[in-house]
Amino acid sequence: MSVQTPVSSRIDHALQNRRILITCGTGGVGKTTVSAALAVRAAQLGRKAVVITIDPAKRLATSLGLGNLGDQATDLSGALNDVLKTKGLPMLPTGGSLHAIMPDTKETFEGFIRSLTPSEAIARRVIRNPIFQIFSREFSGSNEYMAMQRLLGLQREGKFDLIILDTPPSRNTLALLDAPKLLARFFDERLIRWLVLPANKIVSAGMKKALGLLEKLTGGAFMTNLFEFAAALFEVRVQFSANLSKVTELLSERSTAFLLVAAPSRDTAPDAVHFVKSVHAHGFHFEGILVNRRLEHLGLCSDKAPTGTPPHVARAFEVISALQQRESLAMVDLIESIRQSNEMREEGSVPLCLSLPELARDVHSLSDLHEISLALERFNPA
Amino acid sequence: MAKSQTDNSQLKNALSRSLIFVSGKGGVGKTVVSQAIARALSRQPGKQKGKAKRVLWVTFEDPFRPAGELKEITPSLFELNCEAQTAFEEYTTMKIGIPTLTRILVQNSLVRYLAKAAPGIHELVLLGKVWYERTRWDHVVCDMPSTGYGLAMFQSTANFADLFRGGPIHHDAEAMLETFANGTECSQVIVSLPEEMPLRESLELRDFLTRLFPGNAPALIVNRRFPHDPEDPASGRPDEDLSPLARSPEEYARRRARLESLNLKIWKEAGVRPTELLYIPPSTEPPKADRIPDGIVEKLSSELQRLEVLPS
């Protein structure tokens, strides 16, 4: 690709050639909006695109036709064609379509357990166990794991050319990558074996003593439930590991890539380096970084408002000016870290680095999402 | 506008308690707000004449700080990085009382696995530690993990109190819940941003906490409120017909302020009258491993002083 190629054509290249794009990022960076806008753009490039979003804002969900829970794919191609028609633009090319899914994670988790267990009786025993209930509700990795489970299912169905997975919100960008490992911890076979096999009746004196002490602390009821939970886990462990390796395999494919969505703050560069390292350490592929919510397009704002400016406007200028200063430093940091870090350059190529502007209001419609997909071009020239 | 939409009395009330939990969605500024609260409180006069209040700020399992580290910031302000393994060992030592037996328990590989992996124990142990600390300080201010996980900490305590009868953990979980529900000892502060998602999630968090601890209603804070004109007649009106992009700083400032007023209607309709904290312009300092620039904490702490929400 020549140096003169617009940066946006590289994201188009990714949208045309990848089969799975996974967007990661901390809460509040606008991952969901970006993911939806990328799906709109992919549809316009002639792809059968679907965006899976876990927990969208209400206004955004409505604009995606996901007012109610949409565990099945909602077809938005007709609505998008209407938008294009209104704007006097050509309709979606043949083959191009747009879909959205909002999976019900609790439903999926129970379904997942059912798919792992050999009989309905065992499944019910697992699901009714109070420890499992706490686990499914609160375990911080289960949402992430379920998202990937859904991905695996969709990929098998083969109805779509491109799946964009908007990962669940979390403080930690890497939560998704670590989720399988965290879950696998529960399936530590050596330890579960202690809990369930008759062999634990003849365990060492030390082990007996330790379990006795734990029972004294937690009470008998907790221990009984725990043993039952462990017994259930033990029965599904083989299936679970098989499943885990399928997910890992899917994520390692060349046609799957990770896109980091970030805010223009000074944490972004170190976070990005850390993220890329981790993606590579897992044997996955890194697509690039999208810096969202930039304020550069407003034109440089002075922190000194002209005299006579109302005080709230003067203060607003101070804030915008400080945000813009931080943004330009953040971009310098980011470019520098891309230049210096070998990790960033997978197989010698410079990673994609895109920008999108901060919006002055929330996304209300498909038309807005289409406008953001156009901004990908406008804000990322050569 | 006839009636003020803000009300600082709830926050003032919350900050007078000895155990203060600060929660909210990730990225809303819980850490900086809780640090500012702790700093401001540590400058208030204490019971002893001429001495300030002693305050402990707690974070949970911050990977950028040493596990279980207690650090002195000023003679009246300390920081603790509460960590489950350390807290579990402290707790079992206290309960079992015999060092050899404690060692058998905490060094056992299965027990270590269970303490880490079994849902509930981990969270319970972390909250147990701050519950224990509350009697040793004038205030303990906790920077809770982001919403889902923070909820899990309270839920686990409730689970142990309800589901698993018998044993000292059950007994302590009940005592902990009693303290958390007690409006003279403990308070919940929920931090949000004036954006749709955090505002909605905060209401869910408020409802959850109110169900768990009836009669001890949380105080709510809107952090980073963009400078606005409270008399703006168009305030809170949606501008759907305009492009989602602003073209100048003036236009952005005006529309951002209106968007926030529109978003804040979500709370107004739910009967929430929060405390609003000004947008402190971000620091341009390079980041230091998850530490908040000192200048921001200082400014926010003076802001709390100015709003007169600190107990006398």
Side-chain angles (χ1 to χ4, degrees):
Chain A
M1 221 166 281
S2 91
V3 198
Q4 289 309 308
T5 324
V7 182
S8 60
S9 75
R10 286 195 49 194
I11 187 71
D12 289 353
H13 185 258
L15 293 173
Q16 267 160 335
N17 292 286
R18 301 284 190 190
R19 300 189 59 189
I20 296 173
L21 262 182
I22 300 172
T23 51
C24 296
T26 51
V29 292
K31 255 190 331 266
T32 307
T33 311
V34 167
S35 307
L38 286 175
V40 167
R41 195 163 175 93
Q44 286 189 281
L45 293 168
R47 303 281 278 171
K48 285 192 190 68
V50 62
V51 56
I52 310 176
T53 176
I54 306 293
D55 188 19
K58 229 179 195 162
R59 287 172 206 149
L60 183 62
T62 313
S63 67
L64 282 173
L66 296 173
N68 299 313
L69 201 69
D71 202 45
Q72 295 305 310
T74 312
D75 190 345
L76 297 164
S77 315
L80 180 57
N81 269 328
D82 290 346
V83 167
L84 295 171
K85 205 168 145 195
T86 317
K87 295 186 178 178
L89 294 167
M91 307 270 257
L92 292 178
T94 322
S97 67
L98 175 68
H99 295 79
I101 296 178
M102 181 161 64
D104 176 350
T105 44
K106 190 168 189 317
E107 211 35 62
T108 321
F109 200 59
E110 292 195 3
F112 171 57
I113 292 294
R114 287 211 155 81
S115 76
L116 290 183
T117 43
S119 80
E120 177 59 24
I122 295 174
R124 234 175 304 148
R125 215 176 74 208
V126 182
I127 293 163
R128 280 199 195 140
N129 183 292
I131 294 188
F132 171 80
Q133 295 208 345
I134 304 169
F135 172 73
S136 71
R137 203 169 41 228
E138 294 156 12
F139 174 60
S140 48
S142 66
N143 261 353
E144 281 83 1
Y145 193 76
M146 283 310 102
M148 287 192 275
Q149 208 51 46
R150 192 61 202 253
L151 193 64
L152 195 61
L154 270 179
Q155 173 71 11
R156 281 199 190 129
E157 272 176 43
K159 276 193 213 147
F160 301 102
D161 306 329
L162 175 68
I163 305 167
I164 297 177
L165 175 66
D166 165 32
T167 59
S170 76
R171 184 173 76 168
N172 178 0
T173 338
L174 304 168
L176 182 96
L177 299 180
D178 293 336
K181 221 173 33 202
L182 274 171
L183 251 141
R185 203 170 63 183
F186 287 86
F187 292 86
D188 187 331
E189 190 164 338
R190 193 173 50 92
L191 291 169
I192 292 182
R193 215 176 266 278
W194 282 119
L195 290 175
V196 290
L197 291 192
N200 72 10
K201 306 230 164 34
I202 45 161
V203 293
S204 68
M207 184 66 90
K208 250 186 195 156
K209 187 127 224 161
L211 285 177
L213 284 168
L214 190 65
E215 177 155 8
K216 250 188 203 145
L217 284 175
T218 58
F222 180 77
M223 291 301 277
T224 310
N225 279 303
L226 187 62
F227 280 106
E228 207 187 282
F229 180 59
L233 286 187
F234 189 73
E235 291 195 54
V236 303
R237 76 198 186 286
V238 177
Q239 274 284 354
F240 177 83
S241 325
N243 209 285
L244 186 64
S245 47
K246 269 181 223 136
V247 169
T248 314
E249 208 175 287
L250 179 64
L251 295 184
S252 318
E253 276 174 25
R254 273 230 73 95
S255 53
T256 303
F258 288 80
L259 181 72
L260 180 66
V261 183
S265 88
R266 298 204 72 180
D267 301 320
T268 296
D271 281 358
V273 173
H274 186 52
F275 181 76
V276 176
K277 274 189 187 152
S278 179
V279 166
H280 288 165
H282 283 82
F284 303 155
H285 304 284
F286 177 63
E287 187 66 65
I289 305 161
L290 192 149
V291 184
N292 195 24
R293 306 191 69 165
R294 293 195 58 182
L295 289 171
E296 197 187 27
H297 68 286
L298 298 178
L300 201 61
C301 177
S302 156
D303 60 345
K304 298 271 177 293
T307 40
T309 312
H312 70 272
V313 179
R315 274 191 291 114
F317 273 43
E318 255 175 67
V319 172
I320 296 173
S321 162
L323 286 170
Q324 284 184 333
Q325 270 180 54
R326 183 182 68 166
E327 176 177 317
S328 62
L329 289 167
M331 295 317 285
V332 172
D333 291 349
L334 191 58
I335 289 161
E336 189 59 19
S337 69
I338 289 174
R339 213 173 54 81
Q340 284 187 353
S341 157
N342 288 327
E343 282 287 348
M344 284 282 204
R345 277 169 268 140
E346 191 177 3
E347 290 158 19
S349 69
V350 179
L352 179 64
C353 187
L354 287 168
S355 291
L356 272 177
E358 161 92 324
L359 307 178
R361 62 166 167 80
D362 287 340
V363 167
H364 284 273
S365 59
L366 262 183
S367 169
D368 285 355
L369 286 172
H370 174 252
E371 204 161 323
I372 298 165
S373 82
L374 289 180
L376 273 170
E377 247 163 81
R378 259 209 301 142
F379 287 84
N380 299 282
Chain B
M1 221 155 288
K3 197 171 123 195
S4 167
Q5 284 177 26
T6 61
D7 172 17
N8 297 329
S9 65
Q10 288 220 332
L11 183 62
K12 183 168 182 170
N13 212 346
L15 299 191
S16 67
R17 321 281 168 80
S18 58
L19 182 51
I20 303 166
F21 292 108
V22 181
S23 17
K25 191 177 157 75
V28 298
K30 274 185 307 288
T31 304
V32 65
V33 170
S34 61
Q35 283 190 348
I37 289 173
R39 184 178 295 203
L41 287 172
S42 77
R43 287 175 180 161
Q44 295 293 105
K47 283 169 223 127
Q48 239 181 314
K49 221 178 166 226
K51 284 217 169 145
K53 279 183 165 177
R54 290 181 73 248
V55 179
L56 178 68
W57 176 85
V58 182
T59 188
F60 296 94
E61 310 200 303
D62 181 343
F64 295 102
R65 296 167 188 257
E69 179 198 49
L70 180 70
K71 195 174 159 200
E72 179 176 338
I73 306 301
T74 71
S76 61
L77 177 62
F78 285 71
E79 291 183 354
L80 171 70
N81 182 24
C82 192
E83 199 258 343
Q85 186 68 33
T86 323
F88 184 65
E89 283 171 24
E90 279 175 22
Y91 179 79
T92 45
T93 311
M94 220 157 50
K95 289 291 156 182
I96 298 173
I98 307 158
T100 12
L101 282 187
T102 309
R103 230 172 304 128
I104 289 178
L105 183 72
V106 298
Q107 288 179 356
N108 182 282
S109 59
L110 181 58
V111 171
R112 289 179 87 108
Y113 158 75
L114 289 176
K116 249 205 290 195
I121 296 189
H122 187 100
E123 292 82 0
L124 184 74
V125 159
L126 289 173
L127 268 192
K129 171 71 176 167
V130 295
W131 176 69
Y132 173 74
E133 286 292 330
R134 84 195 187 285
T135 54
R136 309 174 61 206
W137 306 82
D138 288 311
H139 296 279
V140 175
V141 182
C142 300
D143 176 22
M144 296 299 281
S146 46
T147 315
Y149 194 63
L151 291 185
M153 289 174 75
F154 291 111
Q155 186 64 54
S156 297
T157 314
N159 288 335
F160 263 91
D162 291 347
L163 292 173
F164 310 117
R165 305 255 152 209
I169 293 193
H170 163 75
H171 184 264
D172 287 338
E174 278 193 328
M176 281 161 68
L177 285 183
E178 209 169 290
T179 305
F180 300 157
N182 182 344
T184 59
E185 267 195 274
C186 174
S187 62
Q188 301 277 352
V189 175
I190 300 175
V191 183
S192 181
L193 291 181
E195 294 177 12
E196 187 196 334
M197 289 294 277
L199 289 170
R200 286 193 199 281
E201 214 168 282
S202 302
L203 288 182
E204 282 167 25
L205 181 56
R206 177 196 67 163
D207 294 345
F208 174 89
L209 289 171
T210 315
R211 262 199 310 278
L212 213 51
F213 309 117
N216 196 4
L220 283 85
I221 293 180
V222 183
N223 189 25
R224 265 188 248 154
R225 178 79 158 105
F226 202 79
H228 60 286
D229 174 9
E231 306 296 330
D232 180 4
S235 155
R237 212 174 288 160
D239 53 10
E240 281 165 53
D241 41 338
L242 296 173
S243 155
L245 294 181
R247 270 147 305 194
S248 68
E250 293 85 347
E251 187 194 341
Y252 176 74
R254 191 173 63 245
R255 293 180 59 188
R256 166 83 181 250
R258 287 180 187 172
L259 173 64
E260 289 188 356
S261 301
L262 176 70
N263 289 337
L264 282 166
K265 283 188 178 165
I266 297 170
W267 274 17
K268 206 179 157 197
E269 279 158 18
V272 176
R273 290 174 71 209
T275 290
E276 287 186 359
L277 295 178
L278 279 183
Y279 201 132
I280 310 287
S283 155
T284 45
E285 286 170 44
K288 278 183 244 133
D290 216 34
R291 301 266 164 157
I292 306 232
D294 201 56
I296 306 248
V297 179
E298 189 56 45
K299 276 185 198 151
L300 210 50
S301 139
S302 333
E303 173 72 358
L304 291 168
Q305 198 101 41
R306 191 185 65 82
L307 291 170
E308 298 179 353
V309 290
L310 301 170
S312 36

